[in-house]
Amino acid sequence: EKNYKIYVKEYEDKEAQFRYVGETTECEFDITGLKTETDYEFYVCDGNNENIKSRVRIARTYEFKDCNAVVVNYLHHRKLFQNYF
């Protein structure tokens, strides 16, 4: 079973380093503690070899006041995701 590590940073902060936010064996992952209305860069790497990683992607958070939640929507088909590794 594959293990993936996720890294993220704010898009506008060019001085910031990517920070590790967790890992998963699934094709989806929840990142908590993100600011609303903010662009983020993220990438996923192989849990056993961090030199094998996806391209950096950009996502934006949105606040949904009716349900008191912050949602980031970035969809990636599992087959394409697996092709990175």
Side-chain angles (χ1 to χ4, degrees):
E1 186 170 17
K2 279 284 202 182
N3 185 42
Y4 305 101
K5 293 182 179 180
I6 297 90
Y7 292 83
V8 68
K9 74 172 191 155
E10 285 187 41
Y11 180 74
E12 295 297 324
D13 188 353
K14 300 302 181 195
E15 301 295 318
Q17 298 292 314
F18 281 95
R19 64 182 171 89
Y20 170 81
V21 292
E23 55 190 83
T24 186
T25 57
E26 303 297 321
C27 61
E28 61 185 47
F29 184 79
D30 291 333
I31 301 173
T32 60
L34 299 177
K35 299 175 187 175
T36 59
E37 307 296 324
T38 304
D39 292 334
Y40 287 92
E41 293 179 84
F42 68 95
Y43 70 89
V44 178
C45 69
D46 185 308
N48 297 316
N49 182 349
E50 292 192 24
N51 292 320
I52 301 173
K53 60 185 176 181
S54 70
R55 296 177 185 161
V56 173
R57 302 295 185 190
I58 300 172
R60 175 174 286 181
T61 56
Y62 296 94
E63 182 176 9
F64 289 89
K65 296 181 194 292
D66 293 341
C67 61
N68 195 25
V70 175
V71 177
V72 175
N73 226 0
Y74 180 83
L75 303 175
H76 207 301
H77 189 274
R78 187 175 176 87
K79 288 269 188 201
L80 292 174
F81 182 77
Q82 289 175 340
N83 285 340
Y84 286 122
F85 302 104

